[in-house]
Amino acid sequence: MRCVLLPLLCLSAAALAQTDRAGTQADSTAMLTMDAVYGRPFQQLGQGPVALGGYVEANSRYAGTDGISEGLSFQLPRLTLFVTAAVASRIKFLTEVELEEGGREINIEFASIDLGLHHLLNLRGGILMNPIGAFNQDHDGPKWEFTDRPIVATTIIPATWSNVGFGFYGKYAQGPWAWGYEAYITNGFDGSIIDNAQGRTWLPAAKENPERFEESANGMPLFTMKGTLDHHTYGELGLSWMGGVYNRFREDGLPLDKKRRVDVVALDYNATLGAHGPRLTAEHVWALVDVPETYTQQYGTRQRGGFVDVVQPLWQRTVFGWAKARVNVAARLEYADYNAGTFRETGGRIADELHGITAGVGFRPVAGTVIRANYGYVWQRDLLGNPPSRTATFTFGVASYF
Amino acid sequence: MERRTLLLLCVPIAAGCARLMPEAPADDELLDGPVAGLTGEQHARFIAGDVAFNDEVFTAATGLGPLFVSTSCGSCHAGDGRGHPFTTLTRFGQWDATGNHYLAQGGPQLQHRALPGHAPEQLPAGAPHARLLPPPNTGLGFLEAVPDAALLALADPLDANGDGISGVPNWIALPAYVQPRQGALAQDGRYIGRFGRKGAVYDLLQQTATAYNQDMGIASTFEPVDTWTGGPTDPEVTDGTVGDVVFYLRTLKAPVQRDRDQPAVIAGEQVFHAVGCAKCHVPELHTGPSPIGPLANTTVRPFTDLLLHDMGTALDDGYTEGSALTNEWRTPPLWGLGLSPASQGGGCFLLHDGRATSIEQAIDLHGGEAQASRDAFNQLPATQREDLLRFLESL
């Protein structure tokens, strides 16, 4: 499937088509993925500086693997609350608090102060979402026609991946073009990414560390940088990198191990092709992890994966009194290879990979609310590449900003 | 109009749900799954053992290593099948019945992997050793339930019948936590081992506790030893979990033969007997009493006698366990042989260390007591050889 996804990503970037992106001609007001956190619907509280918002997702799910199903279940994967405040001129604050799985987990995913020095130079500090790929910053459930997040964006990039740190961002627009950048240093990963209950290199394992918002696991910063280029017609293309030392290489001043790095590179693209054409969203990720040679090969040194979403509006008209109700159909292709390498013992290819396809339909009575139904099918192979387990999932859900 | 369209969209989704779910693989395509006839309570324990065996991955925080071979039980036995060269382990330090002479140097098992920041063990220079491929897990409860007397009845240490086959039991000393089963036979305080490549393991409790300790560096009350320091340590897995895993292994079903009615398979079984394979790979064994109903007093077709045989110099690695000689190996069960590629990543890695990459190559490496059968196989007409291979692949 990676043979399909990568060319799709490249072809999409070169596609000649019309777009209905909401950007403007102004020098810093074009809306890019980096603006997603502030580009949400908020409700102003009177005349005060504070505005509130949020979204909720609720799903029902029926899944089966190789003929075995646990039946139907209902879930509330996310309830997210936003608070934003215009503190003063060119000083603003936004926080995003997410309650996952009915409140079992409560996470502050974003809580940053932004100081606007110039439209090309803004300081951001606090808990921020590392700008790696696009989905990590632009993941609100009501925006998507799919109940499940892209696999690569949650298992290789551990969306939502946010950390405490500081950095700068800025953007510039001229005519149909806009470009932006972000550069941050934050706390980062830890040794759990190669020592976890998944039994594979697993970047999301670092999210289990409850102290990561208090102190760095090893005293070394994680660098994240992203550059974005946008054209009204051709869409938005992003290239991002995130890297740093992940292991605890010293303790009490004594050396324990060499410094071992994790580096992630992502390429993302999104566009709306034509006035009524499909919306295309794609992302591809490569992760490199320095794993000791004397450790088990279960923990891969290279990972890669990607997804392509295509959402096509079917019609828009008045339905049940909603003046601009819309029905979209959607499809997603995705894959993740958690261990791109070969066995030392045999030279044979290490598998540990999955491929998935999802079809969906979404009904949007208003833009910020979606009722959606998905059918997904995933083939997953183990480390050795044995015949894949096959999982099919039906989901029906609702997601809405409020 | 719009309402009707929405309803129409829902209809095919609802109607197609059942047909769009992946079907279960046929029972004879899988090695895992419980024996038929377990009670609900036994199913619950089977599932608990399944989770502990296949899903529990040990980490530094939960006791892994720091020196180890594998991070979970399931990683060495994908789909409860035969292992892969990636999961092969090395045992070393014993060359005769006097015991292991390298225990102070890390024997009997090499932990060749280590947590970051630790150095894995190195094989001591000159130490006799053998590389061992993890065997499949299926049907082990049936093999455990075969009475000692039945195995002794198959033994022929002096080759009294003159057929060139002289199977012998591996008489082993039991660890303190292993209790001889009902009807166990002893010889000079030693009992008949039946698990492991050398038949040096008495039962599934010993196999499980040893694997936790030697493969993953996980201490239990049964094996309360830190494989890194060699000293005593606190348990890192509960007795309950060990017991669940033992129950799981005990109640895994026996592999189901495929294509039994195919003429080539039927003819191949006749060739199997004709060339003498069945003298060691005994087709049928009968179990004795067992507290688990489906395992008790039944007949199974594992194609093994669970005894040691001289396999010749080509397979003599110079290492042994228990009372076995270095050239002796326990007859491996052949059931599930045809499903090996489905647990070995599509390849085929046979014999004790996976050196044979096809059934024919495995046969060709048979020597010692099996040489006559090997020679007979090599002299077979091509059609009969093909029939024999089809039969073996059906197991």
Short mmCIF file of all heavy atoms in Angstrom, two decimals, chain A residues 5-63:
data_model
loop_
_atom_site.label_atom_id
_atom_site.label_comp_id
_atom_site.label_asym_id
_atom_site.label_seq_id
_atom_site.Cartn_x
_atom_site.Cartn_y
_atom_site.Cartn_z
N LEU A 5 0.38 4.97 -1.68
CA LEU A 5 0.21 6.20 -0.92
C LEU A 5 1.22 7.27 -1.29
O LEU A 5 0.87 8.44 -1.45
CB LEU A 5 0.30 5.91 0.57
CG LEU A 5 -0.84 5.09 1.15
CD1 LEU A 5 -0.71 4.98 2.66
CD2 LEU A 5 -2.19 5.69 0.81
N LEU A 6 2.47 6.88 -1.43
CA LEU A 6 3.49 7.88 -1.72
C LEU A 6 3.28 8.58 -3.06
O LEU A 6 3.28 9.80 -3.13
CB LEU A 6 4.88 7.25 -1.64
CG LEU A 6 5.49 7.25 -0.24
CD1 LEU A 6 6.80 6.48 -0.24
CD2 LEU A 6 5.72 8.66 0.25
N PRO A 7 3.05 7.81 -4.13
CA PRO A 7 2.77 8.49 -5.39
C PRO A 7 1.52 9.36 -5.30
O PRO A 7 1.46 10.43 -5.90
CB PRO A 7 2.57 7.34 -6.38
CG PRO A 7 3.31 6.20 -5.79
CD PRO A 7 3.19 6.36 -4.32
N LEU A 8 0.50 8.89 -4.59
CA LEU A 8 -0.70 9.70 -4.44
C LEU A 8 -0.38 11.03 -3.79
O LEU A 8 -0.88 12.08 -4.20
CB LEU A 8 -1.72 8.95 -3.57
CG LEU A 8 -2.77 8.13 -4.32
CD1 LEU A 8 -3.65 7.40 -3.32
CD2 LEU A 8 -3.61 9.02 -5.21
N LEU A 9 0.47 10.96 -2.78
CA LEU A 9 0.85 12.18 -2.08
C LEU A 9 1.55 13.15 -3.04
O LEU A 9 1.26 14.33 -3.08
CB LEU A 9 1.78 11.82 -0.92
CG LEU A 9 2.06 12.87 0.12
CD1 LEU A 9 0.79 13.28 0.82
CD2 LEU A 9 3.06 12.35 1.12
N CYS A 10 2.46 12.61 -3.83
CA CYS A 10 3.22 13.46 -4.75
C CYS A 10 2.32 14.00 -5.87
O CYS A 10 2.39 15.18 -6.23
CB CYS A 10 4.37 12.68 -5.35
SG CYS A 10 5.53 12.12 -4.10
N LEU A 11 1.47 13.11 -6.41
CA LEU A 11 0.60 13.55 -7.49
C LEU A 11 -0.37 14.60 -7.00
O LEU A 11 -0.67 15.57 -7.70
CB LEU A 11 -0.17 12.34 -8.03
CG LEU A 11 0.62 11.41 -8.94
CD1 LEU A 11 -0.19 10.16 -9.24
CD2 LEU A 11 1.02 12.10 -10.22
N SER A 12 -0.82 14.41 -5.76
CA SER A 12 -1.76 15.37 -5.22
C SER A 12 -1.14 16.75 -5.14
O SER A 12 -1.78 17.76 -5.44
CB SER A 12 -2.22 14.92 -3.84
OG SER A 12 -2.80 13.65 -3.91
N ALA A 13 0.10 16.78 -4.75
CA ALA A 13 0.78 18.07 -4.60
C ALA A 13 0.90 18.77 -5.93
O ALA A 13 0.95 19.99 -6.00
CB ALA A 13 2.15 17.85 -3.97
N ALA A 14 0.94 18.01 -6.99
CA ALA A 14 1.12 18.61 -8.31
C ALA A 14 -0.20 18.84 -9.04
O ALA A 14 -0.21 19.34 -10.16
CB ALA A 14 2.02 17.72 -9.15
N ALA A 15 -1.28 18.45 -8.40
CA ALA A 15 -2.56 18.49 -9.09
C ALA A 15 -2.95 19.92 -9.44
O ALA A 15 -2.82 20.84 -8.62
CB ALA A 15 -3.64 17.87 -8.23
N LEU A 16 -3.42 20.10 -10.66
CA LEU A 16 -3.92 21.40 -11.07
C LEU A 16 -5.43 21.40 -10.85
O LEU A 16 -6.15 20.66 -11.49
CB LEU A 16 -3.59 21.66 -12.53
CG LEU A 16 -2.12 21.91 -12.85
CD1 LEU A 16 -1.94 22.01 -14.36
CD2 LEU A 16 -1.63 23.18 -12.20
N ALA A 17 -5.88 22.21 -9.96
CA ALA A 17 -7.32 22.22 -9.70
C ALA A 17 -7.67 23.51 -8.98
O ALA A 17 -6.81 24.21 -8.47
CB ALA A 17 -7.70 21.02 -8.85
N GLN A 18 -8.94 23.78 -8.95
CA GLN A 18 -9.41 24.96 -8.24
C GLN A 18 -9.61 24.62 -6.79
O GLN A 18 -9.79 23.48 -6.41
CB GLN A 18 -10.73 25.43 -8.85
CG GLN A 18 -10.60 25.88 -10.29
CD GLN A 18 -9.66 27.06 -10.43
OE1 GLN A 18 -9.79 28.04 -9.71
NE2 GLN A 18 -8.70 26.97 -11.34
N THR A 19 -9.57 25.63 -5.96
CA THR A 19 -9.70 25.37 -4.53
C THR A 19 -10.66 26.37 -3.91
O THR A 19 -10.82 27.48 -4.42
CB THR A 19 -8.33 25.46 -3.83
OG1 THR A 19 -8.52 25.26 -2.44
CG2 THR A 19 -7.69 26.83 -4.04
N ASP A 20 -11.30 26.00 -2.83
CA ASP A 20 -12.17 26.94 -2.13
C ASP A 20 -11.62 27.25 -0.75
O ASP A 20 -12.33 27.54 0.19
CB ASP A 20 -13.59 26.37 -2.01
CG ASP A 20 -13.64 25.12 -1.17
OD1 ASP A 20 -12.56 24.63 -0.76
OD2 ASP A 20 -14.74 24.64 -0.91
N ARG A 21 -10.31 27.20 -0.62
CA ARG A 21 -9.70 27.48 0.67
C ARG A 21 -10.07 28.88 1.13
O ARG A 21 -10.28 29.80 0.33
CB ARG A 21 -8.18 27.34 0.60
CG ARG A 21 -7.73 25.90 0.38
CD ARG A 21 -6.23 25.82 0.33
NE ARG A 21 -5.66 26.37 1.55
CZ ARG A 21 -5.65 25.75 2.71
NH1 ARG A 21 -6.19 24.58 2.83
NH2 ARG A 21 -5.10 26.30 3.76
N ALA A 22 -10.08 29.04 2.43
CA ALA A 22 -10.59 30.30 2.99
C ALA A 22 -9.50 31.34 3.17
O ALA A 22 -9.67 32.31 3.87
CB ALA A 22 -11.27 30.01 4.33
N GLY A 23 -8.39 31.18 2.56
CA GLY A 23 -7.30 32.13 2.73
C GLY A 23 -7.63 33.48 2.08
O GLY A 23 -8.50 33.61 1.24
N THR A 24 -6.90 34.45 2.50
CA THR A 24 -7.12 35.78 1.95
C THR A 24 -5.82 36.27 1.34
O THR A 24 -4.80 35.60 1.38
CB THR A 24 -7.54 36.76 3.05
OG1 THR A 24 -6.40 37.04 3.85
CG2 THR A 24 -8.65 36.19 3.91
N GLN A 25 -5.88 37.48 0.80
CA GLN A 25 -4.69 38.06 0.20
C GLN A 25 -3.81 38.78 1.22
O GLN A 25 -2.75 39.26 0.89
CB GLN A 25 -5.11 39.05 -0.89
CG GLN A 25 -5.98 38.43 -1.99
CD GLN A 25 -5.26 37.34 -2.73
OE1 GLN A 25 -4.15 37.56 -3.19
NE2 GLN A 25 -5.85 36.17 -2.84
N ALA A 26 -4.30 38.90 2.44
CA ALA A 26 -3.55 39.65 3.44
C ALA A 26 -2.24 38.97 3.77
O ALA A 26 -2.05 37.78 3.52
CB ALA A 26 -4.38 39.83 4.69
N ASP A 27 -1.32 39.71 4.38
CA ASP A 27 0.04 39.20 4.56
C ASP A 27 0.16 38.14 5.65
O ASP A 27 1.13 37.43 5.69
CB ASP A 27 0.99 40.36 4.86
CG ASP A 27 0.64 41.08 6.13
OD1 ASP A 27 -0.39 40.76 6.76
OD2 ASP A 27 1.39 41.98 6.50
N SER A 28 -0.79 38.06 6.57
CA SER A 28 -0.63 37.06 7.63
C SER A 28 -1.95 36.43 8.02
O SER A 28 -2.05 35.82 9.07
CB SER A 28 0.01 37.71 8.86
OG SER A 28 -0.85 38.70 9.38
N THR A 29 -2.97 36.56 7.23
CA THR A 29 -4.26 36.04 7.66
C THR A 29 -4.68 34.78 6.93
O THR A 29 -5.76 34.28 7.15
CB THR A 29 -5.35 37.10 7.48
OG1 THR A 29 -5.31 37.55 6.13
CG2 THR A 29 -5.13 38.27 8.42
N ALA A 30 -3.86 34.29 6.02
CA ALA A 30 -4.20 33.02 5.37
C ALA A 30 -4.27 31.92 6.42
O ALA A 30 -3.42 31.85 7.30
CB ALA A 30 -3.13 32.68 4.33
N MET A 31 -5.29 31.07 6.31
CA MET A 31 -5.46 30.00 7.31
C MET A 31 -4.67 28.77 6.88
O MET A 31 -4.94 28.19 5.83
CB MET A 31 -6.94 29.66 7.44
CG MET A 31 -7.78 30.76 8.08
SD MET A 31 -7.30 31.06 9.80
CE MET A 31 -7.90 29.57 10.56
N LEU A 32 -3.72 28.41 7.70
CA LEU A 32 -2.92 27.22 7.46
C LEU A 32 -3.22 26.20 8.55
O LEU A 32 -3.86 26.51 9.55
CB LEU A 32 -1.43 27.58 7.46
CG LEU A 32 -0.98 28.66 6.48
CD1 LEU A 32 0.49 28.98 6.67
CD2 LEU A 32 -1.26 28.23 5.05
N THR A 33 -2.68 24.99 8.37
CA THR A 33 -2.88 23.96 9.39
C THR A 33 -2.36 24.43 10.74
O THR A 33 -2.92 24.10 11.80
CB THR A 33 -2.16 22.67 8.97
OG1 THR A 33 -2.73 22.22 7.74
CG2 THR A 33 -2.32 21.59 10.02
N MET A 34 -1.30 25.21 10.74
CA MET A 34 -0.72 25.68 11.99
C MET A 34 -1.69 26.56 12.78
O MET A 34 -1.52 26.77 13.98
CB MET A 34 0.57 26.47 11.71
CG MET A 34 0.36 27.70 10.86
SD MET A 34 1.92 28.45 10.32
CE MET A 34 2.49 29.19 11.83
N ASP A 35 -2.74 27.07 12.11
CA ASP A 35 -3.72 27.92 12.78
C ASP A 35 -4.91 27.13 13.32
O ASP A 35 -5.87 27.73 13.81
CB ASP A 35 -4.24 28.98 11.80
CG ASP A 35 -3.11 29.82 11.24
OD1 ASP A 35 -2.32 30.34 12.04
OD2 ASP A 35 -3.01 29.93 10.00
N ALA A 36 -4.85 25.81 13.20
CA ALA A 36 -6.03 25.01 13.52
C ALA A 36 -6.51 25.22 14.94
O ALA A 36 -7.72 25.25 15.21
CB ALA A 36 -5.75 23.54 13.27
N VAL A 37 -5.59 25.39 15.88
CA VAL A 37 -6.04 25.49 17.27
C VAL A 37 -6.86 26.76 17.51
O VAL A 37 -7.77 26.78 18.34
CB VAL A 37 -4.87 25.44 18.28
CG1 VAL A 37 -4.31 24.05 18.36
CG2 VAL A 37 -3.81 26.45 17.93
N TYR A 38 -6.52 27.84 16.78
CA TYR A 38 -7.29 29.07 16.96
C TYR A 38 -8.42 29.20 15.94
O TYR A 38 -9.23 30.12 16.03
CB TYR A 38 -6.36 30.28 16.86
CG TYR A 38 -5.66 30.60 18.17
CD1 TYR A 38 -4.37 30.17 18.42
CD2 TYR A 38 -6.33 31.30 19.16
CE1 TYR A 38 -3.74 30.45 19.62
CE2 TYR A 38 -5.72 31.59 20.37
CZ TYR A 38 -4.42 31.16 20.59
OH TYR A 38 -3.81 31.43 21.79
N GLY A 39 -8.43 28.29 14.97
CA GLY A 39 -9.43 28.39 13.91
C GLY A 39 -10.71 27.65 14.22
O GLY A 39 -11.43 27.24 13.33
N ARG A 40 -10.99 27.47 15.48
CA ARG A 40 -12.19 26.71 15.89
C ARG A 40 -13.34 27.67 16.21
O ARG A 40 -13.12 28.86 16.49
CB ARG A 40 -11.86 25.90 17.14
CG ARG A 40 -10.81 24.86 16.92
CD ARG A 40 -10.11 24.54 18.22
NE ARG A 40 -9.50 23.22 18.21
CZ ARG A 40 -8.57 22.84 19.07
NH1 ARG A 40 -8.12 23.66 19.99
NH2 ARG A 40 -8.09 21.63 19.02
N PRO A 41 -14.54 27.15 16.23
CA PRO A 41 -15.66 28.00 16.65
C PRO A 41 -15.63 28.22 18.15
O PRO A 41 -15.54 27.27 18.94
CB PRO A 41 -16.89 27.19 16.22
CG PRO A 41 -16.43 25.78 16.16
CD PRO A 41 -14.99 25.82 15.78
N PHE A 42 -15.66 29.47 18.55
CA PHE A 42 -15.70 29.82 19.97
C PHE A 42 -16.95 30.65 20.26
O PHE A 42 -17.46 31.35 19.37
CB PHE A 42 -14.47 30.65 20.36
CG PHE A 42 -13.19 29.86 20.40
CD1 PHE A 42 -12.33 29.84 19.31
CD2 PHE A 42 -12.85 29.13 21.53
CE1 PHE A 42 -11.15 29.12 19.35
CE2 PHE A 42 -11.67 28.41 21.57
CZ PHE A 42 -10.82 28.40 20.47
N GLN A 43 -17.41 30.60 21.47
CA GLN A 43 -18.53 31.42 21.91
C GLN A 43 -17.99 32.50 22.84
O GLN A 43 -17.40 32.19 23.88
CB GLN A 43 -19.56 30.57 22.67
CG GLN A 43 -20.12 29.39 21.89
CD GLN A 43 -20.96 29.83 20.71
OE1 GLN A 43 -21.65 30.85 20.78
NE2 GLN A 43 -20.89 29.06 19.62
N GLN A 44 -18.19 33.75 22.43
CA GLN A 44 -17.70 34.87 23.24
C GLN A 44 -18.56 35.01 24.50
O GLN A 44 -19.78 34.89 24.44
CB GLN A 44 -17.80 36.16 22.43
CG GLN A 44 -17.08 37.34 23.03
CD GLN A 44 -15.57 37.28 22.76
OE1 GLN A 44 -15.14 36.63 21.82
NE2 GLN A 44 -14.80 37.93 23.61
N LEU A 45 -17.92 35.23 25.63
CA LEU A 45 -18.66 35.44 26.87
C LEU A 45 -18.89 36.94 27.05
O LEU A 45 -18.01 37.66 27.54
CB LEU A 45 -17.87 34.89 28.07
CG LEU A 45 -17.76 33.37 28.16
CD1 LEU A 45 -16.99 32.97 29.40
CD2 LEU A 45 -19.14 32.73 28.18
N GLY A 46 -20.04 37.40 26.65
CA GLY A 46 -20.35 38.81 26.80
C GLY A 46 -19.35 39.68 26.05
O GLY A 46 -18.95 39.38 24.93
N GLN A 47 -18.94 40.75 26.71
CA GLN A 47 -17.97 41.65 26.10
C GLN A 47 -16.55 41.35 26.61
O GLN A 47 -15.62 42.09 26.31
CB GLN A 47 -18.32 43.11 26.44
CG GLN A 47 -19.70 43.53 25.94
CD GLN A 47 -19.82 43.40 24.44
OE1 GLN A 47 -18.96 43.85 23.70
NE2 GLN A 47 -20.89 42.75 23.97
N GLY A 48 -16.43 40.31 27.42
CA GLY A 48 -15.14 40.02 28.03
C GLY A 48 -14.15 39.42 27.05
O GLY A 48 -14.49 39.14 25.89
N PRO A 49 -12.94 39.25 27.49
CA PRO A 49 -11.89 38.76 26.59
C PRO A 49 -11.88 37.24 26.44
O PRO A 49 -11.09 36.71 25.66
CB PRO A 49 -10.61 39.22 27.30
CG PRO A 49 -10.97 39.20 28.75
CD PRO A 49 -12.42 39.58 28.83
N VAL A 50 -12.76 36.57 27.18
CA VAL A 50 -12.70 35.10 27.19
C VAL A 50 -13.74 34.51 26.24
O VAL A 50 -14.87 34.99 26.17
CB VAL A 50 -12.93 34.56 28.62
CG1 VAL A 50 -12.96 33.04 28.63
CG2 VAL A 50 -11.84 35.08 29.55
N ALA A 51 -13.34 33.49 25.53
CA ALA A 51 -14.27 32.75 24.67
C ALA A 51 -14.14 31.27 24.97
O ALA A 51 -13.05 30.79 25.32
CB ALA A 51 -13.98 33.03 23.20
N LEU A 52 -15.24 30.56 24.84
CA LEU A 52 -15.26 29.14 25.18
C LEU A 52 -15.66 28.31 23.96
O LEU A 52 -16.32 28.80 23.05
CB LEU A 52 -16.26 28.85 26.30
CG LEU A 52 -16.07 29.58 27.62
CD1 LEU A 52 -17.18 29.20 28.58
CD2 LEU A 52 -14.71 29.25 28.22
N GLY A 53 -15.28 27.08 23.99
CA GLY A 53 -15.68 26.17 22.93
C GLY A 53 -15.36 24.74 23.32
O GLY A 53 -14.89 24.47 24.44
N GLY A 54 -15.60 23.86 22.39
CA GLY A 54 -15.27 22.47 22.65
C GLY A 54 -15.91 21.58 21.61
O GLY A 54 -16.57 22.05 20.69
N TYR A 55 -15.64 20.30 21.75
CA TYR A 55 -16.33 19.35 20.88
C TYR A 55 -16.47 18.02 21.60
O TYR A 55 -15.77 17.77 22.60
CB TYR A 55 -15.61 19.18 19.54
CG TYR A 55 -14.28 18.46 19.57
CD1 TYR A 55 -14.20 17.07 19.51
CD2 TYR A 55 -13.09 19.18 19.63
CE1 TYR A 55 -12.97 16.43 19.52
CE2 TYR A 55 -11.86 18.54 19.63
CZ TYR A 55 -11.80 17.16 19.57
OH TYR A 55 -10.60 16.53 19.58
N VAL A 56 -17.39 17.25 21.13
CA VAL A 56 -17.63 15.94 21.72
C VAL A 56 -17.78 14.93 20.59
O VAL A 56 -18.26 15.26 19.50
CB VAL A 56 -18.89 15.96 22.62
CG1 VAL A 56 -20.14 16.23 21.79
CG2 VAL A 56 -19.03 14.67 23.41
N GLU A 57 -17.34 13.72 20.86
CA GLU A 57 -17.50 12.61 19.92
C GLU A 57 -18.14 11.45 20.65
O GLU A 57 -17.74 11.14 21.79
CB GLU A 57 -16.15 12.14 19.37
CG GLU A 57 -15.44 13.14 18.48
CD GLU A 57 -14.11 12.59 18.01
OE1 GLU A 57 -14.09 11.67 17.18
OE2 GLU A 57 -13.07 13.06 18.50
N ALA A 58 -19.12 10.83 20.03
CA ALA A 58 -19.73 9.62 20.60
C ALA A 58 -19.93 8.62 19.47
O ALA A 58 -20.38 8.99 18.38
CB ALA A 58 -21.07 9.95 21.25
N ASN A 59 -19.57 7.39 19.72
CA ASN A 59 -19.61 6.37 18.68
C ASN A 59 -20.25 5.09 19.17
O ASN A 59 -20.25 4.79 20.37
CB ASN A 59 -18.18 6.00 18.23
CG ASN A 59 -17.38 7.18 17.76
OD1 ASN A 59 -17.92 8.08 17.11
ND2 ASN A 59 -16.11 7.22 18.10
N SER A 60 -20.76 4.34 18.23
CA SER A 60 -21.04 2.93 18.49
C SER A 60 -20.15 2.13 17.55
O SER A 60 -19.78 2.61 16.48
CB SER A 60 -22.52 2.60 18.24
OG SER A 60 -22.85 2.88 16.90
N ARG A 61 -19.80 0.95 17.98
CA ARG A 61 -18.77 0.20 17.26
C ARG A 61 -19.11 -1.28 17.28
O ARG A 61 -19.49 -1.85 18.30
CB ARG A 61 -17.44 0.43 17.96
CG ARG A 61 -16.25 -0.37 17.43
CD ARG A 61 -15.00 0.02 18.20
NE ARG A 61 -14.69 1.42 18.00
CZ ARG A 61 -13.92 1.89 17.00
NH1 ARG A 61 -13.37 1.04 16.16
NH2 ARG A 61 -13.70 3.16 16.88
N TYR A 62 -18.99 -1.89 16.12
CA TYR A 62 -19.14 -3.34 16.03
C TYR A 62 -17.95 -3.84 15.22
O TYR A 62 -17.78 -3.51 14.06
CB TYR A 62 -20.45 -3.72 15.33
CG TYR A 62 -20.69 -5.20 15.26
CD1 TYR A 62 -21.29 -5.88 16.33
CD2 TYR A 62 -20.31 -5.94 14.15
CE1 TYR A 62 -21.49 -7.25 16.28
CE2 TYR A 62 -20.51 -7.32 14.09
CZ TYR A 62 -21.10 -7.96 15.15
OH TYR A 62 -21.30 -9.33 15.11
N ALA A 63 -17.10 -4.62 15.87
CA ALA A 63 -15.87 -5.06 15.21
C ALA A 63 -15.71 -6.57 15.36
O ALA A 63 -16.20 -7.18 16.32
CB ALA A 63 -14.66 -4.35 15.82
#
